[in-house]
Amino acid sequence: MTVVMPAGVAVARDLVGPATEAALSRLSPGVRRVAAYHYGLADADGNPIRGGSGKALRPALALLSARAAGAAPERGVTPAVAVELVHNFSLLHDDIMDGDTERRHRPTAWTVFGVGAAILAGDALLALANDLLLEDMAPGGPWAARCLSTAVQRLIAGQGEDLAFERRGDVTLAECLQMAGDKTAALMACACTIGAVHVGASPEMAMGLAEFGGHVGLAFQLTDDLLGIWGAPEVTGKPVRADLRARKKSLPVVAALASGTPQALELAQILASSADLTEDDLVHAADLVVAAGGRQWAEEEADSRLAAAAAALDGIGVPADVRAEFIAIAEFITARQW
Amino acid sequence: MTVVMPAGVAVARDLVGPATEAALSRLSPGVRRVAAYHYGLADADGNPIRGGSGKALRPALALLSARAAGAAPERGVTPAVAVELVHNFSLLHDDIMDGDTERRHRPTAWTVFGVGAAILAGDALLALANDLLLEDMAPGGPWAARCLSTAVQRLIAGQGEDLAFERRGDVTLAECLQMAGDKTAALMACACTIGAVHVGASPEMAMGLAEFGGHVGLAFQLTDDLLGIWGAPEVTGKPVRADLRARKKSLPVVAALASGTPQALELAQILASSADLTEDDLVHAADLVVAAGGRQWAEEEADSRLAAAAAALDGIGVPADVRAEFIAIAEFITARQW
């Protein structure tokens, strides 16, 4: 499995970066400053900086999506910018809700500018995404806007479930998968579809691409959850076993808890204890997730989602080179680097 | 000047109320609960209650807007619901940003459900408004969505300016008028236009209606600011001079401060003092606003905006009965009841 960044991601950054900056420049000054900081385009005082903004994976998928329908990648730029705006809207608001103080190795926007300014900046990005899709006179502009709007509703539903799960001890694996589908996979599916819809693709192609993106999104979440326990700190940017320390009910953990094994019971006791967890506790808890089958389940589920994703691209008329690039990105974002 | 609620407002409530409830029922359960509480449709435990939801002024304007273009009021229902969803999105988020703990005589949503849940519910209402306009297959659906999206951007810009003004002592009257135009008038203009745009009205009519609504919105804000100082508590639901106690830089106050009179200086000193303001201070401050000409300016400005609003309806083909109803609502929401 390759771990080299696919060429399409760098291409997307070059095409979508300037369009994103142009879009953000339309915001009113106060909001623009927060957005530019969050995107990694400026420091807290508004001075331009370079290189901070995320991995551009969703924009790369959106450009491929336009190419899947036979259009030039340039025609996917507006949908790509819009999807990334929605992704960043949700990051800005989620960081407040989750009380997260760091993102991409920088203080989160709400810690720098205050909760109110960060709420407002998120609102502005969501509204801007809609503006961009509606003012672009592409044949499928309104359909693309609906595709995004539906993904936003699922994103919000997923975040709501996530917040609710924190207060519950009895969350099932099915509920967690549903939540990951809403919170992560829906926008990934939208990214894989929106460029094609925007240029007027057939419903068959749109549905096939959405299925691809939905599977990739879940495989991505499973991988993220696996890396949150066993990932190398130099890859994840977080200490090893960080998700266990935070007692996060990630998919491998919930799968282990649901296994009905003796280890599940012991794991539940460790996670429910009110004391701080020592390094020994964390190592032991990670071993229990393995012994209860949680890690193996998550790895197999990620692999089978990836296979299902590839199969979804068959027979819907996606050109071979575009198909190969879709799969390269899917493999890249689900690579497990321990 | 009439202070009896125009019949159109009650009609709007009957038509738009059920459509609003149907729209809210599409939200995911956690978010729906917060939204239903905020709308005054349910108590904090989710039990249905009656009669809480606002005055339905914007929905009434949106229905009239469809009728202005010769369509049945029913065809304005979707735009009316969407405008009211956006209004409530902004109330939910503004209450968090402004730290307001009471709205419509009930605890604000964030005080009941927490900041995170209230952010999320606001997000969901904004996204839902877009969904509704885009899925409705009216000829002007996408245009109506853009009309709303533009209003949302100005709403956000206005709230950003409002937050920034709180930290500044040197806000000019022109800046305050601009802020009121963004924060209040833009959505009012959208409400007066969106129904017509949705059913395919001519650009001339759309622009005339938008001009009407913009003027009405500013007259409404001026009136609200006047009532915030001199309004009867039984009308405003707030103690008399509440805005002065909160040291709010409302339009009559800023006009007084900008008057260059000796009273302006004295008023500035009272508002800048760090001590709690006594009842005597408040009475004196209100007198200074009058003496410095702030009250008279605001009254005259409101009246002239109302006249300009009425003139904007001329010559754009609005039927006489619809014109009369538009003006009745404009007069109703700008009536000064001391």
Side-chain angles (χ1 to χ4, degrees):
Chain A
M1 194 173 281
T2 176
V3 290
V4 177
M5 186 176 291
V9 176
V11 171
R13 242 188 241 168
D14 292 345
L15 270 177
V16 176
T20 299
E21 294 193 42
L24 295 179
S25 73
R26 291 162 45 169
L27 297 173
S28 62
V31 173
R32 185 168 63 223
R33 196 161 145 226
V34 181
Y37 172 84
H38 170 79
Y39 260 86
L41 298 169
D43 66 18
D45 299 318
N47 304 310
I49 55 173
R50 276 288 131 207
S53 62
K55 289 191 284 291
L57 295 169
R58 289 166 193 79
L61 292 168
L63 297 191
L64 275 177
S65 167
R67 286 176 57 201
E74 285 75 10
R75 292 187 57 202
V77 168
T78 298
V81 173
V83 167
E84 196 69 354
L85 284 168
V86 164
H87 177 56
N88 283 286
F89 138 77
S90 82
L91 296 180
L92 275 163
H93 283 188
D94 287 359
D95 283 342
I96 302 170
M97 296 180 212
D98 301 338
D100 286 337
T101 56
E102 197 172 298
R103 161 155 324 269
R104 298 170 191 153
H105 306 290
R106 302 164 77 215
T108 46
W110 70 269
T111 67
V112 176
F113 300 97
V115 168
I119 293 175
L120 208 56
D123 293 345
L125 297 190
L126 177 57
L128 184 57
N130 273 303
D131 276 354
L132 292 177
L133 289 176
L134 292 170
E135 75 188 21
D136 190 294
M137 283 293 143
W143 283 105
R146 284 194 64 185
C147 169
L148 191 62
S149 184
T150 304
V152 170
Q153 288 290 6
R154 289 191 59 194
L155 204 63
I156 291 167
Q159 172 69 1
E161 290 151 14
D162 201 7
L163 292 176
F165 289 176
E166 281 170 23
R167 295 188 301 271
R168 283 177 46 193
D170 60 343
V171 180
T172 66
L173 188 54
E175 287 176 317
C176 279
L177 280 168
Q178 161 88 34
M179 190 268 278
D182 287 338
K183 196 172 166 177
T184 308
L187 191 62
M188 200 74 90
C190 175
C192 294
T193 318
I194 195 169
V197 169
H198 197 244
V199 298
S202 71
E204 289 70 29
M205 176 174 283
M207 285 189 292
L209 292 174
E211 192 186 339
F212 168 79
H215 286 307
V216 172
L218 265 181
F220 172 70
Q221 188 59 60
L222 287 156
T223 305
D224 200 53
D225 285 356
L226 285 163
L227 294 177
I229 302 179
W230 295 282
E234 60 273 23
V235 176
T236 64
K238 295 189 289 190
V240 73
R241 291 179 284 273
D243 280 1
L244 284 176
R245 187 185 303 275
R247 293 179 165 84
K248 197 175 147 191
K249 295 274 175 59
S250 67
L251 288 162
V253 170
V254 175
L257 291 172
S259 64
T261 58
Q263 291 91 345
L265 210 66
E266 197 183 340
L267 179 64
Q269 283 165 348
I270 294 175
L271 294 175
S273 79
S274 56
D276 277 352
L277 300 175
T278 65
E279 285 305 316
D280 282 351
D281 291 337
L282 295 175
V283 171
H284 185 52
D287 287 345
L288 288 170
V289 176
V290 174
R295 175 170 176 168
Q296 190 184 348
W297 171 83
E299 292 186 358
E300 288 174 359
E301 185 71 20
D303 292 343
S304 86
R305 292 285 179 169
L306 209 53
L313 292 182
D314 292 337
I316 57 168
V318 177
D321 60 331
V322 175
R323 186 182 191 284
E325 288 195 48
F326 263 132
I327 288 175
I329 293 183
E331 290 183 342
F332 173 67
I333 64 181
T334 58
R336 299 194 283 269
Q337 299 174 276
W338 313 122
Chain B
M1 194 173 279
T2 178
V3 289
V4 177
M5 186 175 291
V9 177
V11 171
R13 242 187 243 168
D14 292 346
L15 269 176
V16 176
T20 300
E21 294 194 43
L24 295 179
S25 73
R26 289 161 46 169
L27 298 173
S28 63
V31 173
R32 184 166 66 222
R33 195 160 146 228
V34 182
Y37 171 84
H38 170 79
Y39 259 86
L41 298 169
D43 66 17
D45 300 317
N47 304 310
I49 56 173
R50 275 291 131 205
S53 62
K55 289 191 284 292
L57 295 169
R58 289 165 194 80
L61 291 168
L63 297 191
L64 275 177
S65 168
R67 285 176 56 202
E74 285 75 10
R75 292 188 54 204
V77 168
T78 299
V81 173
V83 167
E84 197 68 354
L85 284 168
V86 165
H87 177 55
N88 283 287
F89 138 76
S90 82
L91 296 180
L92 275 164
H93 283 188
D94 287 0
D95 283 342
I96 302 169
M97 297 180 212
D98 301 339
D100 285 338
T101 55
E102 199 173 294
R103 161 154 322 268
R104 297 171 191 153
H105 308 289
R106 303 164 76 215
T108 46
W110 71 268
T111 68
V112 176
F113 300 97
V115 168
I119 293 175
L120 208 56
D123 294 345
L125 298 189
L126 177 57
L128 184 57
N130 273 304
D131 276 353
L132 292 177
L133 289 176
L134 292 170
E135 75 188 20
D136 190 295
M137 284 292 143
W143 284 103
R146 285 193 63 184
C147 170
L148 191 62
S149 184
T150 304
V152 170
Q153 288 290 6
R154 290 191 57 194
L155 204 64
I156 290 166
Q159 173 68 4
E161 289 151 15
D162 201 6
L163 292 176
F165 289 176
E166 281 171 21
R167 293 187 302 270
R168 283 176 47 194
D170 60 343
V171 180
T172 67
L173 187 54
E175 286 176 318
C176 278
L177 279 168
Q178 161 87 37
M179 189 267 279
D182 287 338
K183 194 172 167 175
T184 308
L187 191 63
M188 201 75 89
C190 175
C192 293
T193 319
I194 194 169
V197 169
H198 197 244
V199 299
S202 71
E204 289 70 29
M205 175 174 283
M207 285 189 292
L209 293 173
E211 192 185 340
F212 168 79
H215 287 307
V216 172
L218 264 181
F220 172 71
Q221 188 60 59
L222 287 156
T223 305
D224 200 53
D225 285 355
L226 285 162
L227 294 176
I229 302 178
W230 296 282
E234 59 272 24
V235 176
T236 63
K238 296 189 288 190
V240 72
R241 292 180 284 274
D243 282 359
L244 285 176
R245 186 185 303 277
R247 294 179 165 82
K248 196 175 150 191
K249 296 273 176 59
S250 66
L251 288 162
V253 170
V254 175
L257 291 172
S259 65
T261 58
Q263 292 92 345
L265 211 65
E266 197 183 340
L267 180 63
Q269 282 163 348
I270 294 176
L271 294 176
S273 79
S274 56
D276 276 354
L277 300 175
T278 65
E279 285 307 315
D280 283 350
D281 292 335
L282 296 175
V283 170
H284 185 51
D287 286 345
L288 289 169
V289 177
V290 174
R295 176 169 175 169
Q296 191 184 347
W297 170 82
E299 293 186 359
E300 287 173 1
E301 184 72 21
D303 292 344
S304 85
R305 292 285 180 169
L306 208 53
L313 292 182
D314 292 337
I316 58 168
V318 177
D321 61 330
V322 176
R323 186 181 191 284
E325 288 195 50
F326 262 132
I327 289 175
I329 292 182
E331 290 183 341
F332 173 68
I333 64 180
T334 58
R336 299 195 283 268
Q337 299 174 276
W338 312 122

